[in-house]
Amino acid sequence: MDKFEYWSGLPEVGIVPRAPHVGPLLQHVHEQEYGRGGFAGRVSHTYHLYPPNNWLPGETRVLEGWAPLWESPLRPVGGAHHALGVARPSAPRDVYRGMARLVANATVAMNVTAPAAPMDYFFEHHSATLVIFVHEGGGTLETLFGPIGYGRGDFLIVPKGIPHRFECAPGPQYYWVYESFAGDPEKSEAPTTGHFITHSRSDYRFPRTLDTRNEAGRFEVVSKVGSVYTQRMHPTHPFDVVGWRGDYLPYRFAVEDVRPLTADRSHVPPSAHTIFTLPGCYLCVFTVRSVEKEGMWLPFFHRNLDYYETIGYH
């Protein structure tokens, strides 16, 4: 036994082998790898009690009309438009079946959802990483890596392909949901401002409480690829993970932790308030800040010719 303690190279929770793919533990559990870009970049390994592909044969099917407003057609628009409110569905729907698309380009789509029904299934998005802003409501995001509690003003990042389920708390819920089709969100920073403007990576909250489920039954998983939704049934609970290691993870980030960049004598452009960069998209947060002494109260008239701009008030 070494008398000193050390950090391992990657975050890990629960029971894991010394290194991926090797060790006596793999005689008793089933390893699964999550990653993008082939076998390079961020990656996580989960260790399951049962094979992850043990879904029931003959019970996989395509779901027609499952989320009718998610793939709603978009038409070209110009000028200024104001979405003062989005009508709730006529019948109560859950987070994903009630998703409605507002704006999209080739790499990112912006959606809204007002869930009023529970999720009785697990969801995997195989075409995009999700960036979810909780405008109203709260609850628990159940993930393969453990639960994440969330509330008003929280961002939830769910990487592409990660199984999850929302357990919404009682009361009204309203989320803004961004789909990033071409890559994961990156923390925005520049050499001139450093690591801690507009926030720090230490503000990210990754799951650390592992909730292993050794349960038998019928567990529905819905996966989305493009505009196609597929259902499969598992005889064991998908969250049968006894341990995980890696950095391809879901996490939470609170808007209250944003520390905006301000200037005493000049208007700071919106790009300075960027918290996440996505391929083809910037996500900015404008928080309450001291009034610039000589700056304009409102931004100058401008035509941002290469960007489509949306703004939401929280």
Side-chain angles (χ1 to χ4, degrees):
M1 176 70 71
D2 200 313
K3 66 178 182 179
F4 302 113
E5 293 185 352
Y6 304 91
W7 295 108
S8 66
L10 288 170
E12 61 182 45
V13 172
I15 303 171
V16 296
R18 268 189 86 116
H21 318 319
V22 296
L25 178 64
L26 298 185
Q27 299 176 16
H28 307 283
V29 298
H30 303 270
E31 182 184 77
Q32 180 171 213
E33 181 172 296
Y34 285 88
R36 302 188 64 174
F39 295 94
R42 291 177 182 155
V43 66
S44 287
H45 293 91
T46 53
Y47 297 90
H48 299 254
L49 295 173
Y50 303 97
N53 64 338
N54 70 334
W55 54 81
L56 298 172
E59 296 199 36
T60 299
R61 64 189 183 96
V62 174
L63 302 172
E64 301 291 346
W66 188 79
L69 296 179
W70 198 341
E71 309 301 330
S72 55
L74 301 175
R75 59 183 179 84
V77 295
H81 298 264
H82 301 273
L84 300 181
V86 176
R88 297 177 185 270
S90 56
R93 292 179 175 270
D94 60 61
V95 172
Y96 291 112
R97 300 194 72 180
M99 195 82 74
R101 181 162 293 176
L102 295 183
V103 177
N105 62 20
T107 58
V108 180
M110 177 186 175
N111 315 274
V112 293
T113 184
M119 282 182 66
D120 56 1
Y121 60 92
F122 301 89
F123 188 77
E124 299 174 356
H125 201 321
H126 286 274
S127 293
T129 286
L130 298 170
V131 180
I132 301 154
F133 179 74
V134 182
H135 176 58
E136 189 175 17
T140 302
L141 174 64
E142 300 175 348
T143 80
L144 193 71
F145 298 87
I148 301 174
Y150 66 91
R152 290 185 70 249
D154 283 338
F155 286 91
L156 298 170
I157 287 76
V158 182
K160 179 180 180 179
I162 298 298
H164 61 280
R165 178 168 66 180
F166 282 88
E167 185 72 34
C168 298
Q173 307 278 335
Y174 195 87
Y175 311 158
W176 303 335
V177 182
Y178 297 86
E179 296 172 274
S180 179
F181 304 112
D184 298 321
E186 298 289 343
K187 179 184 179 297
S188 178
E189 58 187 45
T192 53
T193 53
H195 291 293
F196 309 114
I197 299 293
T198 59
H199 64 280
S200 168
R201 285 184 175 83
S202 62
D203 296 316
Y204 298 159
R205 295 292 177 260
F206 299 94
R208 193 172 178 179
T209 303
L210 195 59
D211 186 13
T212 305
R213 303 288 186 90
N214 187 3
E215 302 174 18
R218 291 176 59 84
F219 301 93
E220 178 184 357
V221 179
V222 174
S223 62
K224 175 177 170 63
V225 179
S227 59
V228 177
Y229 304 87
T230 304
Q231 176 198 66
R232 66 180 192 265
M233 301 298 295
H234 289 244
T236 56
H237 199 290
F239 297 166
D240 61 343
V241 175
V242 298
W244 61 262
R245 177 194 287 124
D247 56 1
Y248 187 70
L249 301 169
Y251 61 95
R252 183 190 73 198
F253 172 60
V255 73
E256 287 83 0
D257 290 328
V258 175
R259 297 173 286 277
L261 180 65
T262 61
D264 192 40
R265 298 180 60 190
S266 176
H267 169 73
V268 178
S271 53
H273 303 284
T274 304
I275 58 167
F276 292 121
T277 58
L278 311 173
C281 177
Y282 294 128
L283 293 183
C284 309
V285 169
F286 307 93
T287 60
V288 176
R289 56 194 186 274
S290 58
V291 176
E292 292 125 348
K293 293 179 181 179
E294 298 181 13
M296 299 174 66
W297 279 78
L298 292 175
F300 44 86
F301 290 105
H302 68 282
R303 296 182 180 182
N304 205 348
L305 301 177
D306 292 322
Y307 291 83
Y308 189 96
E309 297 181 352
T310 64
I311 186 167
Y313 293 92
H314 169 65

